[in-house]
Amino acid sequence: MPSTRRHDRRGDTPPPRTGGDESTTLRAFLDYLRASIAAKVEGAPEPQARAAAVPSGTNLLGLLNHLTFVERSLLLGDAVTDWQATFRAAPADSVADVVARYRETVGRANDLLDGCADLGAPVPRPRPGRPAPSVRWALTHLIEETGRHAGHADILRELIDGATGR
C-alpha cells in the first residue's frame, strides 16, 4: 500500500560557521538548534503535533513547551516545580501559540545573554537562595538539552507527515 505521507524533504541547514571567540561559537550553535526545533514544530498539523507517537507520551508540542521552561528557568530565573508537567502543552495551546511562546522566551534569553561578557560569571538571574550556574555551563547545557530534544522532534515530525531536514 502506498504511503499517504507527503515526504517533505527540506535541505539540511548546515551548522554555523564561526571564527569567533568561545561565546560567539556557543551562542551560534545554540541559536542554530533553537531555530531547528522551532522550524520542526512550526506548521505541524493539529492534533498530531500533540499526540503521543511513542509509549513515553512524547509529542512535538510537549518538547517545545519543555524547552521554553528550560530557557525560562535556567536564564530568566523562573521556578519550575514539576518538570514532567512541562512536557505537556495546555489543551488550548495551538502549534502557533507554543512556537510563539518559545521564540519570545528565546528573545528574552538572548537579551540577557547579550549582557554577559564573562562566560565564567554566574548567570544574572533573580532566584533568591539558589546559586546560578556560570554562563558557560548554562550555554553548554542549553546546547545539550536543545540538541537532544531537536533529535526527538526530527523523528516525531517524520512520523507525523514525513517532513525531514533542518
Side-chain angles (χ1 to χ4, degrees):
M1 169 182 272
S3 173
T4 59
R5 295 174 192 232
R6 70 173 195 227
H7 296 287
D8 178 14
R9 301 212 183 265
R10 296 187 294 151
D12 275 352
T13 302
R17 301 279 187 243
T18 66
D21 58 27
E22 182 183 8
S23 179
T24 301
T25 301
L26 291 172
R27 291 202 48 198
F29 271 89
L30 178 57
D31 283 340
Y32 167 74
L33 290 168
R34 286 165 162 169
S36 177
I37 193 163
K40 190 59 64 172
V41 176
E42 189 170 51
E46 300 267 7
Q48 294 95 324
R50 74 176 59 251
V54 293
S56 67
T58 304
N59 63 76
L60 281 177
L61 287 187
L63 287 173
L64 200 57
N65 192 65
H66 171 71
L67 286 172
T68 301
F69 278 93
V70 170
E71 296 253 359
R72 288 169 47 186
S73 173
L74 191 57
L75 296 177
L76 303 176
D78 290 4
V80 176
T81 57
D82 184 357
W83 280 104
Q84 279 307 114
T86 68
F87 282 98
R88 292 183 297 279
D93 283 343
S94 68
V95 170
D97 294 334
V98 174
V99 171
R101 190 166 37 252
Y102 178 69
R103 287 189 170 137
E104 186 271 332
T105 298
V106 164
R108 288 179 50 216
N110 277 340
D111 288 346
L112 176 121
L113 289 169
D114 288 345
C116 296
D118 180 1
L119 291 177
V123 172
R125 63 180 189 191
R127 199 130 174 229
R130 302 240 3 232
S134 72
V135 174
R136 179 180 290 105
W137 188 94
L139 287 170
T140 303
H141 177 63
L142 283 171
I143 290 167
E144 174 272 328
E145 184 83 0
T146 306
R148 178 175 188 238
H149 293 312
H152 296 143
D154 285 340
I155 294 166
L156 294 175
R157 183 64 189 262
E158 186 173 359
L159 288 171
I160 290 171
D161 63 5
T164 62
R166 284 186 279 234

